[in-house]
């Protein structure tokens, strides 16, 4: 049968289509599109020999996972905590899953709160080892950065969603100390502005003391007309709750320094007051009173009023130090 012009045109178009498909495939290969997978990051602190629930506390200053092939950078999620505690790995900084090439480089800076030292690590990562450790890339991968004492860092990888699968160790690294500053620890950025969470704090050492030192203390609450206290809550300077199931704060216990107290009281009409301490002031007060001889505990006394600002003071063995409220506010009157 004699071929028509349309037949030749269709043949040419088919050839062009095949060439385009081949070129597209070559482009995907050159861009390593087939190597991309869904992966996420978790950074934890590991303190293997400690029973203290707040041991191994770290402040993550920066963490960047880089692939130099396509110049991609993956940083910690905006909502990720930067201050993390070991708690056997349950507390972590993180980056959510994304579809991209696995990183071949890591840059991380952090502060060891207990050691009072700044560390940094800039290193290449064994990319081929990471890729070969994943038998099924369609499952994705979880990268796990474990930070140990004295600047030791371990990188592990495991398939996403896998249970009872031991993480593959990709590499062990040694971070180096560097001279950091207090500003690195106390400032945070939000909507393009910088905020100082501890404006009165004097130095790096005080930052660590504020978060880690413990003292034997209790709290007393005085209300108008001796009205009943219904709830007492407190938070430490790491923003973690200090309240346990059997916690009353009216019993002597070895505790971290409190950042703020929330007090609810009242018989028929219920009220609520908040009291936030100045970081340097309460740290100095505890240190000074701890030097006072005697077995008496340190006592924080609150006086709450229905129509006035609450007051607080700290005392031991007859020595009393008034404490200011950095965010003074009148009590909340709850609806009955």
């Amino acid at each position: 049968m004699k071929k028509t012009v349309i037949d030749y045109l269709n043949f040419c178009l088919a050839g062009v289509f095949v060439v385009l498909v081949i070129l597209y495939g070559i482009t995907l290969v050159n861009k390593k599109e087939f190597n991309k997978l869904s992966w996420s990051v978790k950074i934890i602190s590991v303190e293997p020999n400690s029973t203290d629930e707040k041991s191994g506390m770290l402040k993550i200053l920066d963490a960047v996972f880089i692939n130099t092939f396509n110049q991609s950078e993956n940083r910690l999620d905006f909502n990720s905590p930067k201050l993390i505690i070991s708690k056997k790995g349950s507390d972590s900084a993180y980056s959510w899953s994304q579809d991209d090439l696995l990183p071949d480089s890591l840059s991380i800076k952090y502060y060891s709160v207990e050691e009072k030292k700044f560390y940094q690590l800039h290193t290449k990562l064994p990319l081929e080892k990471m890729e070969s450790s994943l038998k099924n890339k369609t499952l994705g991968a979880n990268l796990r950065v474990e930070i140990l004492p004295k600047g030791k860092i371990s990188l592990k990888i495991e398939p996403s969603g896998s249970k009872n699968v031991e993480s593959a160790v990709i590499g062990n690294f040694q971070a180096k100390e560097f001279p950091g500053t207090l500003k690195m620890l106390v400032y945070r950025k939000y909507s393009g502005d910088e905020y100082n969470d501890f404006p009165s704090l004097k130095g790096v050492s005080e930052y660590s003391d504020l978060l880690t030192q413990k003292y034997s203390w209790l709290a007393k609450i005085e209300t108008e007309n001796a009205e009943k206290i219904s709830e007492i809550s407190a938070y430490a300077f790491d923003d973690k709750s200090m309240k346990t199931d059997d916690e009353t704060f009216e019993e002597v216990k070895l505790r971290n320094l409190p950042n703020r107290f929330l007090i609810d009281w009242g018989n028929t009409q219920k009220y609520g007051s908040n009291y936030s301490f100045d970081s340097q002031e309460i740290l100095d007060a505890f240190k000074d009173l701890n030097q006072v001889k005697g077995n008496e505990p340190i006592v924080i006394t609150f006086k709450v009023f229905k129509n006035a600002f609450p007051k607080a003071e700290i005392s031991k063995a007859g020595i009393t130090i008034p404490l200011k409220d950095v965010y003074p506010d009148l009590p909340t009157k709850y609806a009955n």
Side-chain angles (χ1 to χ4, degrees):
M1 182 181 290
K2 190 175 181 179
K3 294 185 179 293
T4 65
V5 173
I6 295 178
D7 292 329
Y8 283 112
L9 181 60
N10 288 336
F11 180 77
C12 291
L13 290 175
V16 170
F17 176 75
V18 171
V19 171
L20 289 176
V21 170
I22 293 173
L23 291 175
Y24 179 68
I26 293 173
T27 301
L28 292 179
V29 171
N30 288 338
K31 289 185 176 181
K32 296 186 177 182
E33 292 294 323
F34 298 112
N35 290 1
K36 290 185 177 181
L37 69 157
S38 177
W39 58 275
S40 62
V41 173
K42 178 184 287 188
I43 302 175
I44 68 168
S45 172
V46 179
E47 189 76 14
N49 299 320
S50 178
T51 57
D52 187 343
E53 64 174 6
K54 293 194 176 184
S55 64
M57 189 182 297
L58 304 173
K59 180 67 178 284
I60 306 299
L61 305 177
D62 194 23
V64 189
F65 294 81
I66 307 162
N67 187 287
T68 54
F69 178 81
N70 64 357
Q71 299 301 313
S72 61
E73 293 187 355
N74 178 266
R75 297 177 180 272
L76 296 181
D77 187 81
F78 177 78
N79 293 316
S80 169
K82 301 300 187 294
L83 188 67
I84 60 175
I85 308 168
S86 64
K87 289 186 175 180
K88 297 182 179 179
S90 62
D91 202 28
S92 65
Y94 58 82
S95 172
W96 294 118
S97 297
Q98 62 169 337
D99 290 320
D100 206 343
L101 298 175
L102 285 170
D104 59 21
S105 301
L106 168 62
S107 177
I108 185 170
K109 293 181 180 179
Y110 65 94
Y111 175 71
S112 171
V113 178
E114 287 181 308
E115 296 177 25
K116 299 184 180 181
K117 292 180 180 180
F118 292 87
Y119 290 98
Q120 62 182 356
L121 173 68
H122 306 287
T123 185
K124 290 286 187 180
L125 300 177
L127 181 57
E128 291 184 1
K129 186 175 181 180
M130 279 192 283
E131 292 177 337
S132 63
S133 67
L134 298 171
K135 296 180 180 179
N136 187 351
K137 293 182 180 180
T138 60
L139 295 177
N142 296 321
L143 297 183
R144 180 184 175 98
V145 180
E146 298 182 353
I147 301 179
L148 293 88
K150 299 181 180 180
K152 297 184 183 300
I153 296 178
S154 178
L155 175 63
K156 299 180 179 180
I157 190 171
E158 65 181 10
S160 296
S162 298
K163 295 182 179 180
N164 302 320
V165 176
E166 188 174 351
S167 301
V169 178
I170 299 303
N172 296 303
F173 310 93
Q174 179 62 55
K176 296 181 180 179
E177 294 181 37
F178 75 97
T181 64
L182 177 63
K183 184 177 181 179
M184 294 178 177
L185 302 175
V186 299
Y187 276 88
R188 59 182 172 88
K189 290 184 178 181
Y190 182 76
S191 298
D193 295 322
E194 282 191 333
Y195 298 90
N196 189 342
D197 291 328
F198 308 103
S200 65
L201 213 56
K202 296 177 181 177
V204 170
S205 180
E206 284 78 7
Y207 177 84
S208 286
D209 293 343
L210 191 71
L211 294 170
T212 61
Q213 288 194 356
K214 292 185 176 183
Y215 299 87
S216 293
W217 60 270
L218 61 87
K220 288 184 178 180
I221 316 296
E222 297 179 4
T223 64
E224 288 183 294
N225 304 318
E227 290 184 294
K228 183 180 178 181
I229 304 296
S230 55
E231 181 73 22
I232 304 174
S233 300
Y235 292 83
F237 279 93
D238 58 10
D239 275 339
K240 298 291 193 297
S241 174
M242 303 180 70
K243 189 175 179 63
T244 58
D245 293 339
D246 59 348
E247 184 68 81
T248 66
F249 295 107
E250 295 174 306
E251 297 177 356
V252 180
K253 187 176 178 180
L254 187 66
R255 303 180 176 93
N256 290 101
L257 299 183
N259 179 7
R260 64 187 187 275
F261 265 83
L262 292 75
I263 305 164
D264 292 344
W265 84 97
N267 292 337
T268 54
Q269 175 62 55
K270 303 296 183 181
Y271 298 87
S273 284
N274 298 332
Y275 206 98
S276 298
F277 299 113
D278 176 88
S279 55
Q280 189 66 53
E281 182 182 67
I282 195 167
L283 176 62
D284 289 341
F286 267 96
K287 285 184 176 181
D288 290 343
L289 293 178
N290 197 50
Q291 299 300 315
V292 177
K293 294 181 179 180
N295 296 324
E296 298 179 29
I298 295 173
V299 180
I300 304 176
T301 302
F302 295 93
K303 297 180 180 180
V304 293
F305 310 94
K306 297 177 181 178
N307 299 297
F309 295 106
K311 296 181 179 180
E313 60 185 28
I314 188 169
S315 60
K316 179 180 178 180
I319 299 176
T320 301
I321 302 172
L323 298 171
K324 63 174 174 280
D325 187 349
V326 294
Y327 302 112
D329 201 3
L330 292 173
T332 299
K333 187 176 181 180
Y334 297 132
N336 290 325

